[in-house]
Amino acid sequence: GENVEQHPSTLSVQEGDSAVIKCTYSDSASNYFPWYKQELGKGPQLIIDIRSNVGEKKDQRIAVTLNKTAKHFSLHITETQPEDSAVYFCAATLGGSFQKLVFGTGTRLLVSP
Amino acid sequence: GAVVSQHPSRVICKSGTSVKIECRSLDFQATTMFWYRQFPKQSLMLMATSNEGSKATYEQGVEKDKFLINHASLTLSTLTVTSAHPEDSSFYICSARFATEAFFGQGTRLTVV
């Protein structure tokens, strides 16, 4: 089955710096890779996603890159702000059809003012 | 984005009692919903896939008689934790597919005393 590894587990940056979170997956048939932000006591919120036919996607300060050959994808947050502090999860579909999502282990991002 | 509403957000129950958690898709119909369990500082673990009008599909190691899932309509899935015990205390989260994206509810914090 699919296995998704995520690094780092914790990341501390100063406000205005960039943050990068990396994930690797094992199933070459996976074709959808979302990123979620989870604040304390709340459910995950989709912040950006990418499909296997695209190498990069950007939405304002957030971008995601995908390297299908290496089976890894990354989340890039620029000009970080304190409100970006949260736990971020990457995920990948199990197989080629969107039947299940397998989540990474999460990254706790702390942005200090 | 699509809205998924989960209720209640918090519940405390006594050992041996049953608790029902509701997951509603508010502005779309969801033939498939997913139920996750999340322990503190850990990732989301898929418990089961709920299919409208048919039996749920449980992940390996999840007791179907313990965690009853009913998906009687296209907008509502329920998870009932039967004969709850303290080890069932956790954060339960549902999600629903809309097109090719997954949207999550706010989560339910279950505490069994």
Side-chain angles (χ1 to χ4, degrees):
Chain A
E2 177 71 283
N3 183 46
V4 179
E5 296 186 357
Q6 184 172 345
H7 300 280
S9 57
T10 59
L11 180 58
S12 294
V13 299
Q14 292 291 318
E15 182 177 2
D17 289 349
S18 295
V20 180
I21 304 171
K22 299 182 179 181
C23 288
T24 60
Y25 62 98
S26 60
D27 189 348
S28 57
S30 294
N31 59 5
Y32 175 63
F33 308 92
W35 284 89
Y36 294 90
K37 176 182 180 182
Q38 186 178 28
E39 297 179 337
L40 189 63
K42 298 183 178 180
Q45 180 182 14
L46 179 70
I47 55 172
I48 196 168
D49 57 15
I50 192 167
R51 302 184 192 283
S52 58
N53 59 345
V54 177
E56 183 174 358
K57 183 177 179 180
K58 188 174 181 179
D59 182 4
Q60 299 183 338
R61 297 187 297 110
I62 296 173
V64 57
T65 59
L66 171 65
N67 183 326
K68 287 179 59 180
T69 303
K71 296 182 190 172
H72 65 69
F73 55 113
S74 301
L75 176 71
H76 304 253
I77 305 175
T78 59
E79 301 173 34
T80 55
Q81 302 167 2
E83 49 266 38
D84 293 330
S85 298
V87 179
Y88 291 81
F89 290 98
C90 63
T93 51
L94 182 64
S97 62
F98 190 172
Q99 292 301 318
K100 298 179 184 179
L101 281 176
V102 178
F103 282 82
T105 47
T107 296
R108 185 170 301 276
L109 174 64
L110 177 61
V111 182
S112 302
Chain B
V3 178
V4 175
S5 178
Q6 192 172 336
H7 179 79
S9 57
R10 291 177 179 271
V11 58
I12 299 173
C13 71
K14 293 183 178 180
S15 289
T17 61
S18 296
V19 174
K20 179 184 285 188
I21 303 170
E22 294 186 346
C23 181
R24 295 180 183 273
S25 55
L26 296 186
D27 48 1
F28 66 101
Q29 294 182 332
T31 56
T32 303
M33 291 186 176
F34 303 91
W35 286 96
Y36 295 84
R37 184 173 182 175
Q38 186 179 33
F39 289 106
K41 298 186 178 181
Q42 294 190 21
S43 188
L44 286 76
M45 298 302 296
L46 181 65
M47 297 174 65
T49 302
S50 171
N51 303 296
E52 187 269 336
S54 64
K55 292 182 179 180
T57 304
Y58 290 82
E59 295 300 301
Q60 189 174 7
V62 178
E63 300 176 57
K64 59 182 66 177
D65 294 332
K66 173 77 171 175
F67 300 99
L68 300 179
I69 292 173
N70 184 279
H71 195 157
S73 77
L74 288 170
T75 59
L76 174 64
S77 175
T78 61
L79 168 69
T80 301
V81 183
T82 62
S83 187
H85 289 98
E87 56 265 33
D88 298 324
S89 298
S90 189
F91 193 55
Y92 293 87
I93 310 171
C94 70
S95 78
R97 280 180 56 188
F98 178 65
T100 55
E101 296 181 8
F103 293 90
F104 287 80
Q106 308 95 313
T108 297
R109 171 75 58 194
L110 170 63
T111 302
V112 185
V113 297

